[in-house]
Amino acid sequence: MPAIGSGQGRVVINEYMPWPGSSCGTTAEFVELMNFGPGPINIGCYILTDGDHTITIPEGTILQPGEFYVIGGQDTIEAPCANIDSTIHIDLNWNTCGCTSSPIPTTGDGLLTDGGSANEQVVLLDPQLRVVDAVARSLPVEPNSTLTSRSPGGSNCFDQTFNLNLLNPTYETIGQSAGRGNSFARTRDGDCGWVKDPQQSAGATNNRGGETSNVQYNFYYIKATSCDRDGKVAITVTAADYTNIFPMSFILAVDSNRNGQFDLDDQYSTGTVSTPNTLTFDSLPPGSYRITLSTAQGCNLQTFPFTIAGCSVVALPLKLRSFQAQRDQGEVRFSWTLEETQALEACRLEGSIDGIVFNWFHNLGLPDIREYTWHGQRVLSVPPEIRFVRLWTISRLEEQQWSPIILLSSPTLPNADRLFPNPTSGNFTIATNFPVSGIGEIQIRDVAGGLLRRLYHPIQNGPNRVLIDLKDLPKGVYLIQLSVPGAASTRYYRIRKN
């Protein structure tokens, strides 16, 4: 089904556990939602239902791109009942939220028990009762009742009366056998294929086993610069059978307020493309974009970031005289010289994995507008996967300029290191070997390189396990630096907190 909602994001049912093992208990059932982007989306007042009960998500619940939202029957679920790596903290507990149409059983069948010949369905509806996503193990699904949803106390959500039979959801069938202790998860986040236990990873990415999708995308520029509205990009789609792929739907986002991120204030447009196998997007003015694609089944999701440059990139009043960058272990030293900076509106550093698609990772403060020349230097922690960097500027006339692209040397990373779980909901562990003993210094930084916290942990000669707590930090990406006096190198890690 096509993307439904406010147009900023694409939400799917990414994973669920319908029948926990006896050691976990009925209330360990969960359903995981994921926003695949390109922007944030308000899922407040959405309704999750199995046809017998409803759960209404509290109003004002904002789901960021790439963020998970886990709904379950208890506040926390211990590993390995929901996540093989760590305890899961539930975002919405259906037994205490006061947001269900009727009490959900805490013993026996629970909410989603799917054993024997039962084919339990899981359906997500938006506030207008449009089907956002619908999955079932097999068809035909279990019979449905007429239900009236219940909104949380003090909420502005409206109670809704409906019967799933009359809404005619198009179910994505999983095709896996039932059995106690099974969870069902998309093979990859947002994909159409499904796998069952042991793919328990609630609140964490499913992209763990190196599986590839049965639909492949290739993004390329046709015209990367624009003199007005003539930027143009294309995406080719490769699949064995296009019957279930097209018509494809898309959400196109543009960073209209030019703050380097995609938020609710930016511009989003939706549409469909019916003819295989190349999707072309033209008439694009200069700016930063993201586009999220979805097949006709509402899955095989893929997001591409890209930038359309202005036509006067090389003829600006603002002059870029030099730009240099050099990696030293996990840090990169940047230096640059700009002249005639009165016209400078914004300036940032951009990084890339492949040298083609760049994303900003650090905004630079502006110089005093009375100065003609700006010499800048900055030392930042840069994730090891970023191999290419460049400097981006924009003038008050919205004329953009990029520096030459610089290839960074690869940092030395120990082969024996492992960090898990990643993403994490709070705690995570670094498993590492060191050739010396001592007191290790741990620095936690944000993606801009700002130091948030400094910790110390005893390190022994040989294998170590270091537990780090991020519970009181907001959701986001963090850079971790671990060093020990006398060791030959510093270790660098990147982790996401959901």
Side-chain angles (χ1 to χ4, degrees):
M1 68 282 307
I4 297 293
S6 58
Q8 292 102 339
R10 177 70 176 95
V11 180
V12 294
I13 298 168
N14 206 51
E15 183 176 358
Y16 70 101
M17 172 175 272
W19 199 9
S22 56
S23 62
C24 296
T26 299
T27 56
E29 294 174 298
F30 68 84
V31 178
E32 175 197 271
L33 308 180
M34 180 187 181
N35 175 19
F36 213 84
I41 189 169
N42 186 347
I43 59 171
C45 303
Y46 278 44
I47 298 171
L48 184 73
T49 181
D50 69 333
D52 300 313
H53 303 273
T54 69
I55 303 162
T56 301
I57 297 174
E59 63 174 324
T61 301
I62 306 297
L63 202 57
Q64 298 294 330
E67 189 175 1
F68 302 97
Y69 189 82
V70 182
I71 305 171
Q74 56 195 56
D75 290 338
T76 59
I77 305 179
E78 300 294 328
C81 297
N83 191 312
I84 58 177
D85 293 328
S86 65
T87 295
I88 291 300
H89 299 274
I90 297 298
D91 296 295
L92 181 64
N93 184 336
W94 61 56
N95 284 315
T96 58
C97 67
C99 63
T100 62
S101 57
S102 57
I104 294 175
T106 56
T107 59
D109 287 347
L111 173 67
L112 295 171
T113 295
D114 196 23
S117 61
N119 289 325
E120 184 77 281
Q121 62 270 61
V122 186
V123 181
L124 183 66
L125 306 172
D126 76 356
Q128 288 74 47
L129 296 183
R130 295 175 295 186
V131 177
V132 177
D133 202 7
V135 297
R137 182 171 59 83
S138 187
L139 298 176
V141 298
E142 291 184 331
N144 300 297
S145 306
T146 297
L147 300 171
T148 299
S149 65
R150 178 189 175 193
S151 302
S155 170
N156 290 318
C157 303
F158 294 101
D159 295 346
Q160 302 273 19
T161 299
F162 64 92
N163 188 306
L164 283 181
N165 294 330
L166 301 179
L167 297 181
N168 296 317
T170 300
Y171 289 99
E172 184 183 352
T173 54
I174 294 172
Q176 302 282 351
S177 61
R180 192 173 282 278
N182 283 332
S183 67
F184 299 117
R186 295 186 184 273
T187 307
R188 294 178 58 83
D189 291 333
D191 210 355
C192 285
W194 288 76
V195 293
K196 67 175 183 179
D197 183 49
Q199 187 69 24
Q200 296 168 354
S201 59
T205 180
N206 298 344
N207 305 344
R208 296 181 173 196
E211 299 89 350
T212 58
S213 173
N214 60 352
V215 176
Q216 301 297 317
Y217 299 97
N218 180 41
F219 174 93
Y220 60 95
Y221 287 94
I222 297 177
K223 194 172 188 299
T225 60
S226 172
C227 288
D228 183 20
R229 296 186 60 89
D230 59 352
K232 190 174 184 180
V233 300
I235 302 169
T236 57
V237 183
T238 304
D241 181 6
Y242 292 109
T243 304
N244 295 323
I245 306 300
F246 286 84
M248 295 191 67
S249 62
F250 67 86
I251 305 175
L252 179 65
V254 58
D255 181 16
S256 55
N257 57 14
R258 301 199 311 277
N259 65 351
Q261 58 188 349
F262 291 85
D263 48 42
L264 294 173
D265 295 326
D266 288 319
Q267 295 179 0
Y268 299 84
S269 58
T270 62
T272 58
V273 177
S274 299
T275 305
N277 66 332
T278 300
L279 291 71
T280 302
F281 302 90
D282 54 15
S283 302
L284 301 173
S288 296
Y289 293 84
R290 278 185 191 167
I291 187 167
T292 298
L293 303 177
S294 172
T295 62
Q297 296 174 295
C299 41
N300 286 121
L301 292 160
Q302 188 72 43
T303 296
F304 293 96
F306 64 96
T307 300
I308 299 296
C311 67
S312 54
V313 169
V314 295
L316 300 180
L318 176 68
K319 297 178 182 179
L320 174 63
R321 290 301 186 189
S322 67
F323 174 66
Q324 296 178 330
Q326 184 175 3
R327 191 193 297 271
D328 181 14
Q329 298 295 333
E331 293 184 328
V332 177
R333 182 178 300 276
F334 297 92
S335 60
W336 59 90
T337 300
L338 295 166
E339 292 185 5
E340 300 182 12
T341 55
Q342 306 99 317
L344 183 61
E345 177 71 17
C347 185
R348 70 186 182 211
L349 294 167
E350 297 180 337
S352 171
I353 297 174
D354 56 8
I356 299 173
V357 178
F358 283 79
N359 292 293
W360 77 279
F361 64 89
H362 187 72
N363 283 326
L364 297 167
L366 297 181
D368 189 325
I369 61 173
R370 294 171 297 180
E371 297 292 333
Y372 284 86
T373 304
W374 182 29
H375 300 283
Q377 291 187 345
R378 195 68 53 87
V379 177
L380 300 173
S381 294
V382 177
E385 62 266 28
I386 291 183
R387 297 289 313 284
F388 303 87
V389 292
R390 67 186 184 187
L391 182 72
W392 169 90
T393 62
I394 187 170
S395 73
R396 296 175 187 175
L397 299 177
E398 297 191 348
E399 295 172 316
Q400 301 181 77
Q401 180 173 323
W402 283 265
S403 72
I405 296 171
I406 294 180
L407 172 64
L408 298 175
S409 61
S410 298
T412 301
L413 294 175
N415 294 329
D417 278 19
R418 191 163 74 92
L419 183 150
F420 59 92
N422 191 6
T424 179
S425 60
N427 297 326
F428 70 95
T429 298
I430 298 175
T432 182
N433 280 275
F434 267 90
V436 298
S437 297
I439 301 300
E441 180 182 278
I442 302 164
Q443 294 185 13
I444 302 175
R445 298 177 179 270
D446 57 28
V447 291
L451 181 62
L452 303 177
R453 187 174 301 165
R454 181 180 281 109
L455 310 172
Y456 297 92
H457 193 283
I459 297 294
Q460 64 179 2
N461 184 348
N464 293 267
R465 285 180 175 259
V466 180
L467 179 64
I468 298 178
D469 184 0
L470 298 180
K471 287 181 181 178
D472 59 341
L473 292 179
K475 297 177 181 180
V477 176
Y478 296 94
L479 308 176
I480 312 298
Q481 175 180 318
L482 172 59
S483 59
V484 179
S489 64
T490 299
R491 312 291 170 84
Y492 300 90
Y493 312 90
R494 175 184 171 98
I495 190 162
R496 180 182 183 86
K497 182 187 176 186
N498 289 331

